[in-house]
Amino acid sequence: MTRLNRPEVYGIVFVVALVVGAILVAGANPFEVARAAVQRALFTRAGFLEALLRTVPLTIMGLGIALSFRAGVFNIGMDGQLIAGSALAVALAPWLPGGAAGIALFLALGIAGGAAWGGIAGLIKARLGGNEIITTIMLTYVATQLLSWLVRGPMQEKMRIIPRSDPIDAALRLPVIVEGTRIHAGFLVAVLAVVATAFVVRRGRYGFKLDVVGQNASAAAYAGMNPAAIAGMVLAVSGGFAGLAGAVEISGVYGRLQEGFAPGFGISAIAVALVVRLNPWLVPVSALGFSLLYAGLGSVAQKALVPFPLINIIEGAVVFLFLAASVMPARVPAGAKSDG
Amino acid sequence: MDEILFVSAVLAAGIRLATPIMLAALGETLGQRSGVINVGIEGIMLVGAFVAVLGAVETGSPWAGLALAMLAGAAMGAIHAYFSVVLKAEQIVAGIALLFLGIGLSGYGYRLTLGASGTAAAIPGFRPLDVLGLAGVPGIGPILFGQQALVYLTFAAAIAMAWMFSSTRLGVIVKAVGEYPAAAASAGIGVDRVRFACVSVGGALAGAGGAFLSIAHLWGFVEGMTAGRGFLAIACVVLARWSPLAAIAVALLFGIADALQIRVQSMMPGVPYQFFVIAPYLVAIAAVGIGSRTAMPAALGKPFRPGGR
């Protein structure tokens, strides 16, 4: 009985009511919306493949978020880092060799560009103590504008009609690995990234440092670590993940640089990683879940049942649910409830 | 003379462009002084911007639109307060969730209402004032006498907040809650109550900031129209070392950078406009780099657990 009176239960009820209420306000039936979304995402080939395709970048970026949030570093500017990595890779693509080596270099350039963009925030954080939440998001706005210039200026296609670059060489495209679909070898890249990240987090000294710095910066300093330098490094590393995701998207799906090709992925990746408590092994599962949600709701929105931004409401609600649920066991039973 | 007119125009526009950031920064200052970070004020501003337009169209009064936007902002603030103060969840993460929620609610609501009809609804927005009939005076007229009513109210709010912190019991209570929550609690202050109230009022101010964008600066709502102003506001708070008046000054810096880039852009058509648009963001990045490392409220970001650590 008292359990249902707990404040986190109110939080959960409120958040669920918010989503259901939003659907009702649109004059739609929540069950119908859910059914249509599930139907599209899980029981149509196109919907499921679309979700699988989106899972790749969301997984890679979710891993970057998991790494940085573990260290208490809030990189919310992955969208900018993705742009920086993609632009660098496409810009230098004409000089790359073909084949596997070329593709590897293309992806490495993506990582380098993203790491450099994240590294700016990292440097400001490490050297000057500048808050990364502000710098990373500001750098995203800068990157978005620079991309807008690049695809209309120096990197625009030779035809000069559409704001986009010329396609990269076919030899730099990640091959399709499932015949008859667009599922590309980026899948394997994502799998590799999961394994590597999980290994670093679980086994490596680096992962241990991340956790210590994230949980208790002064203890980390006492143990001879340099929390500021580690935080700066983390921003570059997670930026590298964002850049990798961008390069994979271009090499695997789009084949060229254009605007808005990964809309809001960096923000969605935060929800992806938080929901599985920053556990790298579970990031792909979460990424698939959110991708299914996107695929399902996208088609529901096209049928004009509910407007598409419902996805953002749900993302917010899911993170709030996660917060309420994670508070549950940790709460001090007596006293803590007195205020509020 | 031309130079004077140019400076006057840039300053007048800079104040106008800075006002939404000022309002949000004042709200964030209040919340952070009480010990709560809210990185989701960008989301609150978006909701405020949307609700203000909808309210103004439905009631025919921009003031009603503003009031509704502040109410919606307070509600958003209360959501953040519930999770970060009552549930004592990680404040940054709750703020990020609030950002998602704000992006979603504003875009969703807009597409259901005003955005649903193809034609643009006539929006009864605020008009600039002509105080004492002096707005036409060259030079200082547009700056001092030709602003929106909300601009004057924003400055008044900043002065009131500065006075509250420096000379009132309420100000002492808020500061105590943010600096020494345990001591405040033992003095009989309900720490969580004070924080809840500060974050909610802060949300109302951020909502007003969004409203200024959509019914005073521009007349209309566009999805994502705040374009990072909520984060600029957070930068203001940090750079201003949690002082309301200094926050206004820093916001003004961003506003002037914005006003300048718009003007210089039209003077230099050969240079891609994107290089100018990024100016305020670059100023913010540089400012954060230069102006950090300061004494923040000691208990900022830390939930208060009576008798606990």
Side-chain angles (χ1 to χ4, degrees):
Chain A
M1 277 179 299
T2 51
R3 291 193 154 229
L4 287 177
N5 273 328
R6 295 168 67 98
E8 55 268 32
V9 176
Y10 291 134
I12 291 171
V13 169
F14 169 78
V15 165
V16 172
L18 190 73
V19 173
V20 172
I23 296 173
L24 289 175
V25 164
N29 177 345
F31 294 105
E32 175 59 22
V33 169
R35 197 197 58 77
V38 168
Q39 162 72 26
R40 160 80 181 175
L42 287 179
F43 299 107
T44 67
R45 183 183 147 88
F48 190 67
L49 287 177
E50 181 195 329
L52 277 184
L53 209 55
R54 186 185 278 258
T55 304
V56 172
L58 275 189
T59 297
I60 297 173
M61 295 174 93
L63 293 169
I65 293 286
L67 273 181
S68 85
F69 277 41
R70 267 176 177 269
V73 173
F74 298 99
N75 178 6
I76 62 174
M78 278 201 149
D79 288 312
Q81 295 144 17
L82 176 142
I83 290 172
S86 310
L88 183 69
V90 173
L92 298 183
W95 287 277
L96 296 180
I103 293 176
L105 282 172
F106 187 84
L107 301 184
L109 282 171
I111 295 175
W117 208 247
I120 299 173
L123 209 61
I124 294 174
K125 172 102 182 165
R127 287 288 164 85
L128 305 165
N131 184 312
E132 77 280 6
I133 294 176
I134 299 164
T135 50
T136 53
I137 197 94
M138 293 297 143
L139 284 165
T140 291
Y141 287 106
V142 173
T144 308
Q145 292 299 326
L146 292 182
L147 174 64
S148 155
W149 165 64
L150 283 174
V151 295
R152 287 177 180 79
M155 288 178 74
Q156 193 177 14
E157 57 178 4
K158 295 210 171 51
M159 303 277 289
R160 297 238 161 232
I161 298 170
I162 302 172
R164 62 180 189 188
S165 76
D166 278 319
I168 57 172
D169 195 299
L172 292 175
R173 299 292 303 269
L174 284 162
V176 167
I177 52 171
V178 180
E179 204 61 36
T181 71
R182 292 195 292 161
I183 304 300
H184 54 77
F187 241 89
L188 309 177
V189 176
V191 170
L192 272 177
V194 170
V195 174
T197 310
F199 191 79
V200 166
V201 165
R202 285 292 147 85
R203 298 280 169 90
R205 277 176 35 169
Y206 186 68
F208 173 68
K209 276 187 182 175
L210 288 188
D211 285 351
V212 174
V213 170
Q215 280 155 21
N216 191 338
S218 53
Y222 190 73
M225 302 175 192
N226 181 347
I230 292 174
M233 174 82 81
V234 164
L235 280 165
V237 170
S238 63
F241 276 87
L244 174 63
V248 165
E249 279 293 271
I250 289 188
S251 173
V253 183
Y254 297 97
R256 61 170 99 224
L257 191 63
Q258 61 196 48
E259 283 182 287
F261 65 92
F265 281 16
I267 295 285
S268 298
I270 298 175
V272 165
L274 280 174
V275 167
V276 290
R277 301 193 181 196
L278 313 178
N279 179 342
W281 288 117
L282 294 178
V283 163
V285 178
S286 171
L288 177 63
F290 275 95
S291 300
L292 289 168
L293 195 64
Y294 263 91
L297 279 182
S299 104
V300 170
Q302 269 171 12
K303 289 186 206 147
L305 283 175
V306 286
F308 188 65
L310 182 65
I311 186 82
N312 302 110
I313 300 178
I314 293 179
E315 274 175 349
V318 166
V319 176
F320 275 129
L321 282 182
F322 149 82
L323 279 177
S326 63
V327 165
M328 266 189 196
R331 273 174 59 84
V332 187
K337 266 191 286 189
S338 59
D339 276 78
Chain B
M1 191 61 199
D2 276 359
E3 286 80 4
I4 293 174
L5 286 183
F6 178 80
V7 171
S8 156
V10 166
L11 278 180
I15 293 172
R16 190 166 63 242
L17 288 163
T19 304
I21 306 171
M22 289 178 183
L23 282 164
L26 287 176
E28 184 73 10
T29 301
L30 186 62
Q32 291 204 5
R33 269 293 178 95
S34 79
V36 181
I37 302 175
N38 182 356
V39 298
I41 50 176
E42 175 92 357
I44 301 184
M45 290 180 82
L46 279 169
V47 168
F50 161 65
V51 170
V53 171
L54 186 66
V57 168
E58 293 295 324
T59 64
S61 155
W63 289 105
L66 173 68
L68 289 169
M70 292 183 72
L71 222 65
M76 291 285 286
I79 295 175
H80 183 65
Y82 191 82
F83 279 86
S84 55
V85 176
V86 178
L87 297 186
K88 307 188 190 307
E90 167 70 66
Q91 294 178 6
I92 304 275
V93 176
I96 291 171
L98 197 71
L99 172 67
F100 293 151
L101 207 59
I103 295 171
L105 287 174
S106 60
Y108 188 82
Y110 177 70
R111 293 193 196 184
L112 274 184
T113 54
L114 303 166
S117 61
T119 54
I123 292 154
F126 286 108
R127 291 176 188 286
L129 301 184
D130 186 356
V131 180
L132 306 172
L134 293 174
V137 175
I140 58 166
I143 303 173
L144 292 182
F145 304 108
Q147 298 286 354
Q148 300 271 0
L150 260 180
V151 172
Y152 302 106
L153 288 176
T154 302
F155 280 88
I159 293 168
M161 194 182 286
W163 174 75
M164 182 194 90
F165 281 133
S166 69
S167 327
T168 68
R169 190 177 138 69
L170 186 62
V172 173
I173 289 175
V174 172
K175 284 190 284 186
V177 163
E179 300 279 353
Y180 314 105
S186 58
I189 297 169
V191 171
D192 284 358
R193 266 172 228 276
V194 172
R195 288 182 171 178
F196 200 106
C198 286
V199 175
S200 302
V201 173
L205 286 167
F212 185 91
L213 269 181
S214 67
I215 57 173
H217 178 57
L218 303 169
W219 287 9
F221 177 80
V222 181
E223 282 176 46
M225 73 186 297
T226 46
R229 287 180 177 84
F231 294 99
L232 283 173
I234 300 174
C236 287
V237 175
V238 178
L239 296 169
R241 294 163 164 73
W242 292 270
S243 145
L245 293 178
I248 293 285
V250 178
L252 199 55
L253 175 75
F254 294 146
I256 290 172
D258 208 3
L260 257 181
Q261 67 87 4
I262 294 169
R263 260 144 242 266
V264 177
Q265 191 179 318
S266 61
M267 286 155 57
M268 305 171 79
V271 182
Y273 73 91
Q274 292 93 347
F275 285 95
F276 299 106
V277 176
I278 61 177
Y281 303 122
L282 292 180
V283 170
I285 294 168
V288 167
I290 297 164
S292 293
R293 292 241 182 268
T294 51
M296 59 178 186
L300 184 59
K302 295 176 186 136
F304 175 59
R305 293 197 168 82
R309 302 159 289 142

